Amino acid sequence: MSRRLILIRILAVFVVLLGVNYIAWRWLESINWSAWWIAVPLVIAETYSLIDTLLFSTTMWRAKEREGPESEPEGTVDVFVTTYNEPIEMVMETARAAKRIAYPHETWILDDGDRVEMAAAARAEGIGYITRSADWQDKPRHAKAGNLNNALFETEGEFLLILDADQIPDPLILHRTLGYFADDAQVALVQTPQWFTNVNEADPLGSQAPLFYGPIQQGKDGWNAAFFCGSNAVLRRESLMQLGIVGYVRELEDSTQRSLRAAERLLGREARRQRSVPKLHAELRDLHQDVIQARAAISQAEPIAEVTYRLRAKIDAASSRLVDNDLATMADDLLAIHALPVQRDAELGSLVVDDVALDALATRELSPLGAVKSVAALLDALRVDRPEEAQPIQPLATISVTEDMATAMQLHGMGWRSVYHHEVLARGLAPEDLQTMLKQRLRWAQGTMQVFLRDNPLAKKGLSAGQRLMYFGTMWSYLSGFAALVYLAAPIIYLTLGVLPVTAWSVDFFARFIPYFLMNQLLFLVVARGIRTWRGQQYSLALFPVWIKACTSSFANVVFKKPLSFVVTRKDGRSAEGLPLREVWPQLTAIVLLIIAFVIGIIRVLVGAGDGTGTLVNTVWVGYDLAALSIIVQAVFYKGPAAYAEESKGVT
């Protein structure tokens, strides 16, 4: 164990102990219940932050720094360059670089836009070209996951290197990563960092993520939870195909069980309705038991096809017997109709059937054959070829608009391992304007929350305790938008209205809060080890509207089936001209309110209406919030790296 890791663990223990001491005191002794409407949200937000600190400390507890694989690279490789509507020359630049990778491989362009010009350019360079077949027409496309799943069945390499359309690979990328698969036959994924060449040192859009593509991924790697990030990664085909087959079987089993549960309810209801007819009641009761036994057999892993075949044979036999019964009933009804008393209506001069006798005939129970036929139709709907999908087997996860993390979690749940190799082996392009960046962050957050709501890692079978926490920690971070809203509102409320969320700004408060805060910052500095992380801290607060929208829209998608729009990140410059004020009005509003609150707070102190200590604490708080939100102002006026470079030359 390195000295640095020992220091990180010591600091982590102190941070957690000091944090628990502070939050326990906040809950037990310091809440101003007379102002509960802000006091309680604030302490909940602080509790959220403590849990976030605990998850971060846990992540770094087993941080792993790899030197590289021990084994030599081996195995056949397909290199996939994924594209939808990116400029053809950009895609071709990446594809040509992929073709120049030193290790023997096949290069393929996966064109989800099905462009004739793209196909011609690929052929001219001797590069493989794959697009979707007609089978995908009018079927769910599953965005990038569907594009990759389609290509998996068109290629044969043992390993896949996946690159986005703008990610130029290093010629040695396979030499530096393939050996991990030979080191450990259970390794399914090797992820390398994403690094952007069109980002300047100031990086006002916060595109570089050196803390994530570094300490955090290394921390997750220590728990065997480093996850797939969509590009610059090598995956084992065997693991993906196993994932696809297992998913297919589970989906088929789930749909079969759903159909059988419906059949069980239908037959049970019909059997109860026919209690007055012993023969029919017995027939339906027996069939009801057959369905129950079929469900139990499938739960015990008997082949679905065999179980449903036996059940269908019993249903057909029961249908035949019920038809015979219907024919006998019809014969009886005809005799009853023939025997109905008929009399002539004196006024109308027509024959009229006796009403009492007709009512008696009408109250007879209808045939239960319809219920049995409905059960037969449910079984007919069970198709092993999954006609609702373009292909029955979907190896990469399709439950989220971000297929990468969902796929990695499924692989980990099946016992496969992952590796994070901390070496920049591909260089790409980041968004160059605020609108594009916001859409990209929203999509990432929405996809993560979709996975959280559909496949919660805390309850997912197959994951270790550490893996559960690592995935949960990533999902938990996107709830920060709600906490940020409270952190922005609390000082504004105090400075303008004088409403105190704590009982007092006492020595007890400072004695607990300041050591916790300082130790937290020290842990962060040691983990970062020289990495510039202030931009990430700014955006964690400044993007609070994006995080809130991601949570609410993902909830609406999963629970209420409201669709999410999938937007491909532009890689060819700015998306629009003009200032994108509409996209950031919540942040700009917060900035204005914070400034107004600061001024009012100072005036209140000068006129003797405000508490000096409380005002000092909250003005410092306002200063931090404004410093964090100031990045949005910079991003609004950012003109892209080219303009920044020109301005820098002019200054020089």
Side-chain angles (χ1 to χ4, degrees), residues 162 184 190 220 235 276 466 507 509 518 550 559 584 604 614 623:
I162 298 176
D184 185 348
V190 177
K220 292 180 184 294
L235 293 95
S276 60
V507 173
F509 171 81
L518 293 178
V559 177
V584 293
R604 283 171 55 84

Side-chain angles (χ1 to χ4, degrees), residues 308-340:
T308 55
Y309 177 81
R310 292 197 303 265
L311 180 60
R312 182 57 197 255
K314 294 176 180 178
I315 289 173
D316 289 342
S319 296
S320 178
R321 291 190 293 270
L322 289 172
V323 167
D324 292 341
N325 181 78
D326 268 8
L327 291 174
T329 301
M330 289 171 63
D332 291 342
D333 287 345
L334 288 172
L335 290 174
I337 291 172
H338 181 72
L340 286 174

